[in-house]
């Protein structure tokens, strides 16, 4: 094999990889944001509980796990799913979360108007979920997996219906809904196995890059 063959000096290789650097940069950015938001999601849940009063936060308190329209917890085997399927589920959750977090923020503005830090965290969480969702959508598009998704319910409509239901029910259900939404936000951000090491994260990240490269090479 010549020195030029298979190297960056090969014109054919240049044409193959030239569209990829910006996609790889987007994947790196999305990966970094996802890791950062895992920490923020835990902080948000802790702060939310802190401002709800008794019985929230008391040892042994087990609130009802109210269903949240349009959003459910990740399945136990979520991390082991094929990359496109896993990312599609991530994208759907990240689309549903921002309007739900906004509903929680509005409720808390009425119930805890003197908790500006909590209100700010809820606002930031919604904005960060949108940013991460956009990144995941970009990765799906790079994998060619966005074309296989069916129609999804409008998240804002789902959130409005959820808000109306708990508003009519009273203060406690509104607090429980907020706890559930913040808990789901944390679950979707920390859905990987607890024992997942940094080395495993790097391996998964590299595998995703390879999948993107393979998809684009096959289209040439």
């Amino acid at each position: 094999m010549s020195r030029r063959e298979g190297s960056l000096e090969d014109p054919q290789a240049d044409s193959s990889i030239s569209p990829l650097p910006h996609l790889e940069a987007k994947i790196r950015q999305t990966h970094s944001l996802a890791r950062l938001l895992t920490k923020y999601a835990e902080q948000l849940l802790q702060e939310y509980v802190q401002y709800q009063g008794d019985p929230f936060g008391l040892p042994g308190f087990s609130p009802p796990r109210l269903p949240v329209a349009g959003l459910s917890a990740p399945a136990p085997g979520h991390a082991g799913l094929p990359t496109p399927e896993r990312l599609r589920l991530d994208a759907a959750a990240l689309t549903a979360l921002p309007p739900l977090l906004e509903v929680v923020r509005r409720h808390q503005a009425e119930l805890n108007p003197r908790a500006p830090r909590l209100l700010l965290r809820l606002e930031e969480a919604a904005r960060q979920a949108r940013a991460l969702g956009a990144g995941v959508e970009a990765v799906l598009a790079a994998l060619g997996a966005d074309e296989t998704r069916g129609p999804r319910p409008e998240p804002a409509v789902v959130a409005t219906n959820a808000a109306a239901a708990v508003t009519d029910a009273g203060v406690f259900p509104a607090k429980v809904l907020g706890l559930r939404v913040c808990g789901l936000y944390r679950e979707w951000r920390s859905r990987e196995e607890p024992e997942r090491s940094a080395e495993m994260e790097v391996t998964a990240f590299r595998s995703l890059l390879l999948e993107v490269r393979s998809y684009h090479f096959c289209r040439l």
Side-chain angles (χ1 to χ4, degrees):
M1 178 184 293
S2 70
R3 189 171 178 270
R4 284 176 56 88
E5 186 176 354
S7 73
L8 293 178
E9 298 177 12
D10 187 338
Q12 185 174 356
D14 283 346
S15 64
S16 300
I17 66 173
S18 57
L20 293 179
H22 72 284
L23 295 175
E24 294 182 4
K26 188 66 176 179
I27 292 172
R28 289 188 176 91
Q29 181 184 25
T30 302
H31 179 73
S32 298
L33 181 59
R35 294 187 65 185
L36 180 65
L37 295 194
T38 300
K39 177 182 177 181
Y40 286 172
E42 182 64 40
Q43 292 173 344
L44 172 63
L45 181 60
Q46 292 176 359
E47 190 148 0
Y48 181 87
V49 170
Q50 175 185 340
Y51 281 100
Q52 304 316 304
D54 293 344
F56 295 85
L58 291 178
F61 174 62
S62 179
R65 290 179 65 87
L66 295 178
V68 178
L71 183 65
S72 58
H78 180 86
L81 293 173
T83 300
E85 183 178 352
R86 176 167 50 82
L87 291 179
R88 279 194 291 268
L89 293 172
D90 288 347
L94 290 165
T95 299
L97 276 164
L100 289 168
L101 287 164
E102 176 57 26
V103 166
V104 176
R105 191 196 66 79
R106 291 200 301 267
H107 285 153
Q108 289 301 303
E110 297 177 2
L111 299 172
N112 290 300
R114 297 182 180 179
R117 192 172 67 176
L118 173 60
L119 300 180
L120 180 60
R121 280 195 185 277
L122 287 164
E123 184 178 344
E124 289 178 343
R127 184 171 60 251
Q128 291 162 348
R130 287 189 186 96
L132 182 57
V136 173
E137 294 279 0
V139 175
L140 277 170
L143 289 169
D146 58 333
E147 303 169 359
T148 61
R149 287 181 295 170
R152 290 178 292 182
E154 178 60 43
V157 174
V158 172
T160 299
N161 294 338
V166 297
T167 299
D168 294 341
V171 171
F172 185 76
K175 290 184 174 183
V176 172
L177 173 67
L179 181 66
R180 182 71 173 134
V181 170
C182 291
L184 286 170
Y185 181 53
R186 183 190 64 172
E187 286 185 53
W188 277 101
R189 288 310 334 121
S190 58
R191 67 188 183 279
E192 312 292 353
E193 295 88 339
E195 66 273 14
R196 187 181 180 108
S197 65
E199 183 178 354
M200 291 174 67
E201 286 191 8
V202 170
T203 300
F205 173 60
R206 288 174 176 169
S207 296
L208 180 55
L209 286 177
L210 288 174
E211 285 192 49
V212 170
R213 286 173 174 168
S214 297
Y215 171 75
H216 281 272
F217 289 169
C218 289
R219 289 171 63 94
L220 293 176

